[in-house]
Amino acid sequence: MKKIGVVLSGCGVRDGSEIHEAVFTLLAIDQCGAEAICMAPDIECNETNHLTMQETGATRNVLVESARIARGNIRNIREVRAKDLDALIFPGGFGAAKNLCDFASKGAAASVDSQVARLLREMVLANKPIGAICIAPVLVAALLGKDLAPTITIGNDAGTAAEIEKAGACHQECAVTGFVVDRANKFVSTPAYMLATRISEVHEGIDKCVREVLALA
Amino acid sequence: MKKIGVVLSGCGVRDGSEIHEAVFTLLAIDQCGAEAICMAPDIECNETNHLTMQETGATRNVLVESARIARGNIRNIREVRAKDLDALIFPGGFGAAKNLCDFASKGAAASVDSQVARLLREMVLANKPIGAICIAPVLVAALLGKDLAPTITIGNDAGTAAEIEKAGACHQECAVTGFVVDRANKFVSTPAYMLATRISEVHEGIDKCVREVLALA
């Protein structure tokens, strides 16, 4: 049974993993007969009240909150190595751009969480596929843009696409229920809530994205 | 477009709505071409750390945390009337048995949150269908067991089934990917994580349950 790492960044679209995207990632992995290995970094993040969409001034722990999506079955990313996995997938949500890296504030000049960067580099060296959903492809661009010039999509947001290109990656526009695959680099991405107006569109794009990642694994 | 109320109870299996169940409920509603109306009571609940599965001693607000699953598109249940809805669905998670009622501590003698009880009674009077997933059918049993003797399922847990019967409802065993329908009362229930060992089983049972609720609406 293939083991697919899923890197979570909290629990909630504005300060963590987008919940629908994370759940559809786990569903597609299971429907393909593979095993999801959920993980997150043990770091603090700024809490957003999702009723008011305002930051509260408090912090929450990314690993502890991510455990809600994983029903407690989660590992500290520090303990996970590329040899434990056949592929690695990043659901979206602002947490991918605020907690796993600082793209949300720094754009193309973003730096990536040290353990996320370490595991991503290990996966590339091992020639194992990487999936990135919604805003999460910016992580790949920020870390690997200059070295690999990967082709990725975040849908069609011009500002974000410009930062991705500035980081050295190639942005390709994509419909919400489609995906972009860079076969040389084994990167697969899909826009999800960067474009979706309906939850069923998110499900369809992520289902295709995950199946493509598994086909490359 | 049919409007389907979805009553959330927080965000996390141990102190709120089971996240996968809630998301699959929203997905099935959208795939059926209906609109989900998310709602939750504005009450406090005891917070559980989902990494350690221990209560922390802190509280969280059920409406604010439920907003994470609903991406902010949520209403205070106090503002929702049966006339606004074509059906009402309760995802599971301990929140359904700890926050929406106190079945988790009181069993058959449980009392139900006043606004949840008010809306449930309005739906019954209006002859509109009600879906309940995982542990959530205990709510229906606690509130309406004596009056309507509804037939419901929570899978096959003998202790919970005994409390349901004590409350005046009829428990029927059910497989994880099946559902139980009480056509006279328009109640539909499915076991989900009361039995599931895989997320894809949860998806299958909830998809069938939601489609049956919509067929009755």
Side-chain angles (χ1 to χ4, degrees):
Chain A
M1 186 181 277
K2 286 178 186 167
K3 293 181 191 298
I4 315 299
V6 178
V7 185
L8 300 174
S9 60
C11 179
V13 57
R14 295 296 280 264
D15 61 9
S17 286
E18 206 298 312
I19 291 173
H20 305 180
E21 293 175 2
V23 171
F24 296 148
T25 301
L26 299 178
L27 175 63
I29 290 169
D30 188 48
Q31 287 178 328
C32 288
E35 181 187 356
I37 310 290
C38 290
M39 67 192 79
D42 183 9
I43 57 177
E44 298 300 303
C45 68
N46 294 318
E47 176 190 86
T48 296
N49 175 317
H50 281 62
L51 190 60
T52 62
M53 292 302 178
Q54 302 297 310
E55 288 202 1
T56 64
T59 61
R60 290 188 175 183
N61 181 281
V62 170
L63 177 58
V64 170
E65 296 308 315
S66 298
R68 293 177 176 271
I69 294 174
R71 297 166 50 83
N73 187 12
I74 193 164
R75 296 168 67 182
N76 184 333
I77 192 171
R78 181 180 294 276
E79 300 162 3
V80 182
R81 300 288 171 268
K83 66 176 172 53
D84 305 329
L85 305 174
D86 296 291
L88 188 64
I89 301 180
F90 293 83
F94 278 76
K98 295 203 307 187
N99 304 338
L100 303 188
C101 69
D102 54 6
F103 182 94
S105 55
K106 303 250 181 81
S111 58
V112 176
D113 171 86
S114 61
Q115 289 300 322
V116 172
R118 190 262 314 152
L119 184 55
L120 256 173
R121 287 208 180 91
E122 282 182 20
M123 294 298 288
V124 168
L125 277 173
N127 196 31
K128 292 180 176 178
I130 292 163
I133 294 163
C134 187
I135 191 67
V138 301
L139 261 173
V140 173
L143 188 73
L144 304 167
K146 296 276 190 279
D147 292 341
L148 303 178
T151 298
I152 56 183
T153 191
I154 49 82
N156 63 13
D157 182 72
T160 309
E163 292 299 316
I164 284 173
E165 298 266 346
K166 210 186 292 181
C170 308
H171 183 263
Q172 186 175 311
E173 289 199 10
C174 181
V176 62
T177 56
F179 61 89
V180 166
V181 55
D182 175 336
R183 290 188 189 282
N185 286 311
K186 292 194 178 176
F187 290 145
V188 188
S189 45
T190 188
Y193 274 119
M194 287 297 290
L195 286 179
T197 57
R198 295 176 60 170
I199 188 173
S200 54
E201 294 173 337
V202 174
H203 172 258
E204 184 178 343
I206 290 176
D207 184 68
K208 290 175 186 170
C209 176
V210 170
R211 284 172 197 276
E212 185 68 19
V213 169
L214 268 77
L216 292 172
Chain B
M1 186 183 275
K2 286 178 186 169
K3 292 181 190 300
I4 313 301
V6 177
V7 185
L8 300 175
S9 61
C11 179
V13 58
R14 294 297 278 264
D15 60 9
S17 286
E18 206 298 311
I19 291 173
H20 306 181
E21 294 175 1
V23 172
F24 295 148
T25 301
L26 300 179
L27 175 64
I29 290 170
D30 187 48
Q31 287 177 330
C32 288
E35 181 186 358
I37 310 288
C38 290
M39 67 193 80
D42 183 11
I43 57 176
E44 299 298 304
C45 69
N46 294 316
E47 175 191 85
T48 297
N49 176 316
H50 281 61
L51 189 61
T52 61
M53 291 304 180
Q54 303 297 308
E55 288 202 2
T56 64
T59 61
R60 289 187 177 185
N61 181 281
V62 170
L63 178 57
V64 170
E65 297 309 314
S66 297
R68 293 177 176 272
I69 294 173
R71 296 167 50 82
N73 187 11
I74 193 164
R75 295 168 66 180
N76 184 332
I77 192 171
R78 179 180 294 275
E79 300 162 3
V80 182
R81 301 287 171 268
K83 68 176 172 52
D84 305 328
L85 305 174
D86 296 291
L88 189 64
I89 301 180
F90 293 84
F94 277 78
K98 293 203 309 188
N99 304 339
L100 304 186
C101 69
D102 56 5
F103 182 94
S105 55
K106 304 251 181 80
S111 58
V112 176
D113 171 84
S114 60
Q115 289 300 322
V116 173
R118 189 261 315 154
L119 184 56
L120 256 174
R121 287 207 179 91
E122 283 182 19
M123 294 298 288
V124 167
L125 277 173
N127 197 31
K128 292 180 176 178
I130 292 163
I133 293 162
C134 187
I135 192 67
V138 302
L139 262 173
V140 173
L143 188 74
L144 303 167
K146 295 278 191 279
D147 293 341
L148 304 178
T151 298
I152 56 183
T153 190
I154 48 84
N156 62 13
D157 182 73
T160 308
E163 292 300 316
I164 284 172
E165 298 264 346
K166 210 186 291 179
C170 308
H171 184 263
Q172 187 175 309
E173 290 198 10
C174 180
V176 63
T177 56
F179 61 89
V180 166
V181 55
D182 175 335
R183 292 190 186 282
N185 287 310
K186 293 195 179 177
F187 290 146
V188 188
S189 46
T190 188
Y193 275 119
M194 288 296 291
L195 286 179
T197 56
R198 294 176 61 169
I199 188 173
S200 54
E201 295 172 337
V202 174
H203 172 259
E204 184 177 343
I206 290 176
D207 185 68
K208 290 176 185 169
C209 176
V210 170
R211 284 171 197 278
E212 185 68 19
V213 169
L214 268 76
L216 293 170

